[in-house]
Amino acid sequence: MTVLHESADIDRPVEEVYAYVSDFATTEEWDPTVLGARKLTPGAIAVGTQFEVVCALPVGSVTLLYTVQALQEYTRIELRGTCAFFDVEDVITLSGTATGTRLDYRAVFHFKPVVATVAAFSQKGLEKMGRESVAGLAEALRDNFPLKANSRATRIADKWVLPGVAMFSRLGYSLGRKRFNPMSAYLRNQHMMVTGASSGLGYAAASELARRGAQLTLVMRNREKAERTVAEIKRVTGNTAIRYELADLSLVSEVDALVARMKKRGEAIDVLINNAGALFNPRQETAEGLEKSFALLLVSPYRLTEGLKPLLASAECARVVNVVSGGMYSQKLDVDRLQMPDDAEYSGSTAYARQKRALMVLTKLWAKQWRTDGITVNAMHPGWADTPGVQDALPLFRKMTRPVLRSVEEGADTIVWLAAATEAGDASGALFLDREIRPDHLLNSTREAPQECDKLVALLNGITGSR
Ligand SMILES: NC(=O)c1ccc[n+]([C@@H]2O[C@H](COP(=O)([O-])OP(=O)(O)OC[C@H]3O[C@@H](n4cnc5c(N)ncnc54)[C@H](OP(=O)(O)O)[C@@H]3O)[C@@H](O)[C@H]2O)c1
């Protein structure tokens, strides 16, 4: 038997420390020996909840199955982990202090006979591991991370178009992930709105934010899907503070009605995630006479964000996250050609990329204008992620790139980070990929002229939604 015992003082209230530590899947963020961790049991964390934790060994790795043995809200968490080489009992106790929380971590290892002798020799190594784990947890909970400067790999990639584009693949994510900081921000008092949450990146982001405790309003257009989505996220995460609003976001009248309902509710919005999107081939128009990608990808987030501004301004420090696309790198803002009225000129990918470029321009404008309102506005692009949207709209692209496509969770990671991470609140007007600021232009020829930005706002303000 080997006993490890470490303590730390954390400058945060016990309920925040408890919320983070009791979800043992967070070990992935703070324990340097953990390669990956996930919650296996659906629902709120309770006695019997299981976690799979993969730990590095001097040679290879080992998978531990942890089960919650006892829970006393805000004061005590007991877990038992088992694997081929040992069993471990972890007891984490929390107590309030004048400045925050005292965290006490005790781990008792029972080694299987085959490894007991080796373990006896490596007592010092185990003690070091225990110290590093609790130090990592304390650092995660102190949550005092600066916005990171770009890595050497991304600095080099951004100088060249092809390596820059290669970072859209899962390679970019796996390189970026190595530098990710823990996210221990307390979200239970945060109200976040996610558009397009029924599928793909929106669903993945909403699920992860729900797991981290946020109160969610999910905007979807189909009642049946909306009910299914909310029920599933509640079931998996145990978070019950999730509701939905219905709106076809390609219709100005429905966006306006949504804004009116939200204003009537009067609840502050801490985070607005403009994610809903699609790529349309061939050219289509809405019942209101607008080209569909223009209506959904540009008019809708413009009207929604402008309309909800009073609710964003009434939150303490609100954030807007606009989901754009690497496709915008090929386009320059050209306001007269946004709707591509000429059918012969129309291409779904070009129309899509133009709206995303324009949304990036709006991101920078809002960031400047709303600085004094305490609202930050950033854009992210997810890289290439294997979502139903990509499967439907770009089947050939998907077939060719499938081995390098990101998972939906990997694609959604920076949405979650921009919404939830404390340090992400320090940025505004920037474009992110894999939690790093990236250039919003790869080519000088796509830079917008200031008068074109004014023209864009005038155009969007002039849209009424009636034919
Ligand atoms: N996946 C990628 O590699 C990638 C790359 C760059 C950018 N993006 C961007 O990421 C965002 C999410 O895309 P995704 O790949 O996750 O696509 P997805 O799986 O098709 O999800 C799109 C979501 O938007 C919703 N939506 C579409 N039209 C709508 C409308 N008229 N009104 C309300 N909601 C509507 C969809 O609802 P329904 O379920 O009802 O259809 C769905 O929830 C989009 O803005 C996309 O442009 C994705």
Side-chain angles (χ1 to χ4, degrees):
M1 181 173 97
T2 301
V3 181
L4 304 180
H5 187 191
E6 294 290 328
S7 299
D9 286 303
I10 319 285
D11 192 11
R12 286 175 72 174
V14 275
E15 59 270 28
E16 296 192 10
V17 175
Y18 179 84
Y20 188 67
V21 180
S22 60
D23 181 352
F24 219 54
T26 61
T27 48
E28 186 179 58
E29 296 184 343
W30 52 263
D31 189 331
T33 58
V34 173
L35 302 174
R38 65 193 176 107
K39 178 165 155 277
L40 299 176
T41 317
I45 290 156
V47 172
T49 299
Q50 295 197 311
F51 300 91
E52 182 188 80
V53 179
V54 182
C55 292
L57 290 177
V59 182
S61 63
V62 63
T63 302
L64 280 122
L65 181 67
Y66 273 94
T67 308
V68 177
Q69 303 292 315
L71 270 185
Q72 261 173 283
E73 200 174 31
Y74 307 145
T75 49
R76 193 175 170 90
I77 305 144
E78 289 180 33
L79 298 119
R80 185 178 182 86
T82 60
C83 69
F85 307 126
F86 57 85
D87 292 344
V88 58
E89 289 154 28
D90 285 15
V91 179
I92 304 163
T93 31
L94 308 175
S95 50
T97 62
T99 53
T101 302
R102 174 98 178 142
L103 180 147
D104 191 84
Y105 201 132
R106 201 177 145 86
V108 181
F109 289 84
H110 303 275
F111 290 96
K112 307 268 161 89
V114 220
V115 283
T117 326
V118 183
F121 280 114
S122 52
Q123 174 75 19
K124 283 223 154 28
L126 281 170
E127 283 168 7
K128 183 168 173 272
M129 194 185 79
R131 271 197 307 279
E132 285 175 357
S133 298
V134 174
L137 175 55
E139 196 193 4
L141 284 162
R142 281 185 200 113
D143 197 19
N144 198 13
F145 302 101
L147 263 182
K148 279 205 164 136
N150 284 15
S151 69
R152 205 173 117 78
T154 50
R155 280 201 312 274
I156 293 171
D158 287 341
K159 285 197 181 139
W160 307 93
V161 175
L162 274 181
V165 171
M167 292 301 224
F168 298 1
S169 71
R170 64 184 335 156
L171 167 78
Y173 179 81
S174 58
L175 287 174
R177 184 176 185 267
K178 294 192 178 120
R179 305 176 73 237
F180 287 176
N181 286 323
M183 271 194 280
S184 71
Y186 188 69
L187 302 186
R188 289 184 194 197
N189 48 12
Q190 295 275 300
H191 173 217
M192 304 190 180
M193 197 164 164
V194 185
T195 71
S198 57
S199 156
L201 305 180
Y203 182 84
S207 302
E208 183 58 17
L209 291 166
R211 180 175 86 84
R212 291 175 181 270
Q215 300 164 29
L216 299 179
T217 299
L218 306 181
V219 182
M220 290 168 273
R221 59 178 160 170
N222 175 300
R223 185 180 298 278
E224 214 180 287
K225 264 195 193 177
E227 282 177 359
R228 223 184 311 134
T229 301
V230 169
E232 183 58 8
I233 297 179
K234 282 184 177 176
R235 185 188 75 80
V236 172
T237 63
N239 183 338
T240 54
I242 305 169
R243 57 193 297 282
Y244 69 83
E245 287 288 341
L246 289 178
D248 178 338
L249 294 171
S250 67
L251 295 173
V252 173
S253 53
E254 297 212 8
V255 175
D256 289 353
L258 169 65
V259 168
R261 291 198 300 278
M262 295 303 292
K263 281 185 166 160
K264 195 162 169 217
R265 240 170 92 188
E267 195 182 344
I269 297 174
D270 297 280
V271 179
L272 168 63
I273 299 171
N274 286 312
N275 162 76
L279 189 152
F280 301 99
N281 262 323
R283 187 178 189 280
Q284 294 168 46
E285 287 193 359
T286 67
E288 295 171 339
L290 299 176
E291 189 278 312
K292 248 190 174 175
S293 49
F294 172 68
L296 177 63
L297 301 172
L298 184 58
V299 177
S300 155
Y302 179 72
R303 238 174 150 88
L304 190 62
T305 311
E306 287 280 347
L308 295 177
K309 192 197 161 199
L311 298 179
L312 291 161
S314 65
E316 206 177 312
C317 295
R319 302 177 183 191
V320 176
V321 180
N322 292 324
V323 178
V324 296
S325 161
M328 75 170 189
Y329 281 127
S330 65
Q331 295 297 315
K332 178 177 180 162
L333 178 65
D334 182 348
V335 174
D336 292 333
R337 297 173 70 220
L338 279 170
Q339 293 205 66
M340 303 181 81
D342 179 1
D343 267 345
E345 185 211 23
Y346 183 85
S347 124
S349 306
T350 308
Y352 172 90
R354 286 184 183 170
Q355 318 313 323
K356 295 292 190 184
R357 164 60 67 204
L359 185 56
M360 184 66 231
V361 169
L362 290 178
T363 302
K364 292 189 285 183
L365 280 179
W366 279 324
K368 233 188 253 169
Q369 287 169 0
W370 295 356
R371 190 156 289 151
T372 51
D373 297 292
I375 304 169
T376 61
V377 188
N378 288 294
M380 64 77 67
H381 82 87
W384 298 321
D386 193 7
T387 63
V390 168
Q391 290 155 29
D392 291 349
L394 300 167
L396 185 62
F397 168 80
R398 180 180 182 244
K399 204 171 163 192
M400 286 162 52
T401 57
R402 202 161 170 201
V404 298
L405 289 182
R406 296 161 177 236
S407 69
V408 278
E409 291 77 18
E410 290 167 352
D413 174 80
T414 299
I415 303 179
V416 173
W417 179 80
L418 280 169
T422 305
E423 69 270 26
D426 293 339
S428 197
L431 170 70
F432 285 84
L433 170 66
D434 295 329
R435 307 188 188 184
E436 283 187 5
I437 295 181
R438 309 302 291 269
D440 56 327
H441 294 274
L442 289 178
L443 305 166
N444 272 332
S445 56
T446 60
R447 292 189 187 280
E448 54 279 347
Q451 60 273 26
E452 205 61 18
C453 304
D454 298 341
K455 201 167 153 188
L456 173 67
V457 172
L459 170 81
L460 292 170
N461 282 337
I463 285 172
T464 61
S466 51
R467 264 189 188 268

